[in-house]
Amino acid sequence: MKHTSRFLLAIFLMFAAGSFAACSEDDPVQDGIEGDGGGSGSGNGGESNGDEGGNDGNNEDESMNRNITITVNGTAFAATLADNAAAEAFAAMLPLTLKMDELNGNEKYHYLDSSLPTDSYSPGTINAGDLMLYGSSCVVLFYDTFSTGYSYTRIGKIDNPDGLAANVGRGSASVTFEAR
């Protein structure tokens, strides 16, 4: 009986320790690979305009302009925002310039200071040009196509991502989002 109690206690402690070591929901590390040693970082810095809530408050009861421009290291790409609450909240923050960090050789990410609405799903395949939200505050711009088991909320998509991978460069990138 004494050995059974110790055995059960050891199993319980192993499970408890494993739960403390699990990744948080807001950690965008994919496939167990952390790119460029940067990990997920704290990510709160890097906004060039210093104001993530850049809207002047003049939102009329009209449909949101879903057409935006995403400028990556000086090269502009036309993009379309999704028709959801996350994209609407993101649009209310525009114009917005972010310092986006590299991860996994396929994405640039930045943690916002505030949360956006979420409606996450597992897309199965991420496409180059996808603009997604991981968790509730991590904006991710993907520049490569790959399979994934992670869940995201769609914010939008670059209409024609040709040349995106070449423009993001290595390491961090300056990315500006603005209405067209």
Side-chain angles (χ1 to χ4, degrees):
M1 180 72 175
K2 202 187 261 189
H3 293 291
T4 304
S5 296
R6 287 183 182 168
F7 177 72
L8 291 174
L9 179 60
I11 289 176
F12 171 76
L13 291 175
M14 287 185 342
F15 282 112
S19 68
F20 290 118
C23 294
S24 73
E25 179 183 51
D26 287 340
D27 186 1
V29 176
Q30 297 178 359
D31 302 325
I33 301 171
E34 294 187 23
D36 289 352
S40 61
S42 64
N44 283 344
E47 295 89 5
S48 295
N49 65 0
D51 179 21
E52 288 185 1
N55 191 318
D56 63 5
N58 291 334
N59 287 350
E60 307 282 335
D61 281 341
E62 56 189 51
S63 64
M64 170 183 75
N65 177 12
R66 295 178 51 213
N67 299 316
I68 66 169
T69 299
I70 300 175
T71 304
V72 180
N73 290 331
T75 301
F77 297 89
T80 304
L81 293 175
D83 188 11
N84 62 30
E88 188 172 327
F90 186 76
M93 302 170 82
L94 304 183
L96 180 65
T97 297
L98 304 174
K99 176 184 168 266
M100 299 187 80
D101 295 317
E102 170 64 33
L103 188 63
N104 296 328
N106 59 21
E107 67 185 82
K108 301 293 185 190
Y109 73 95
H110 178 87
Y111 280 95
L112 300 171
D113 291 334
S114 57
S115 295
L116 299 179
T118 62
D119 186 16
S120 61
Y121 71 101
S122 181
T125 299
I126 294 290
N127 293 296
D130 282 349
L131 180 63
M132 305 289 246
L133 182 66
Y134 184 80
S136 62
S137 63
C138 186
V139 175
V140 185
L141 178 61
F142 292 96
Y143 58 88
D144 197 11
T145 298
F146 62 96
S147 296
T148 185
Y150 287 87
S151 292
Y152 300 91
T153 299
R154 180 170 297 283
I155 297 174
K157 180 165 183 54
I158 291 179
D159 300 335
N160 181 359
D162 290 347
L164 177 62
N167 281 288
V168 294
R170 303 184 87 139
S172 299
S174 176
V175 182
T176 299
F177 303 88
E178 54 195 343
R180 280 194 267 151

